């Protein structure tokens, strides 16, 4: 239901920037469900992107076709003051 990926900035920021994440393409589940993206951690040199199909609803989260079963790409944008 969840996965994450660490991203290192090419140049560090002076402090943690604002990070925006957008998954690309079709849903990476056997039923085509899309993932929700969030920044789990952010600091001046990198961030960890988190992806989830979990909804918080018992019946939806127990649905086995909402498991993340294939890879997918994502885009991101960081806005902040460079070091």
């Amino acid at each position: 239901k969840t996965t994450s990926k660490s991203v290192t900035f090419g140049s560090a920021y002076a402090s943690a920037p604002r990070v925006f994440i957008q998954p690309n393409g079709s849903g990476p589940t056997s039923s085509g469900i899309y993932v929700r993206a969030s920044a789990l951690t952010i600091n001046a040199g990198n961030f960890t992107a988190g992806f989830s199909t979990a909804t918080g609803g018992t019946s939806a989260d127990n649905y086995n076709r909402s498991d993340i079963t294939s890879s997918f790409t994502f885009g991101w944008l960081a806005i902040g003051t460079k070091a």
Side-chain angles (χ1 to χ4, degrees):
K1 305 277 184 225
T2 63
T3 190
S4 63
K5 177 68 176 173
S6 294
V7 174
T8 300
F9 302 126
S11 298
Y13 288 86
S15 61
R18 307 259 301 152
V19 175
F20 303 89
I21 304 163
Q22 176 65 49
N24 298 323
S26 60
T29 66
S30 61
S31 61
I33 294 173
Y34 290 92
V35 295
R36 288 188 326 273
S38 62
L40 301 176
T41 61
I42 306 170
N43 63 50
N46 57 51
F47 73 94
T48 300
F51 304 94
S52 175
T53 60
T55 64
T58 303
S59 62
D61 287 345
N62 287 333
Y63 181 53
N64 65 350
R65 293 186 65 202
S66 67
D67 292 342
I68 298 171
T69 56
S70 62
S71 61
F72 59 95
T73 60
F74 64 96
W76 57 270
L77 171 69
I79 300 173
T81 304
K82 297 298 265 180

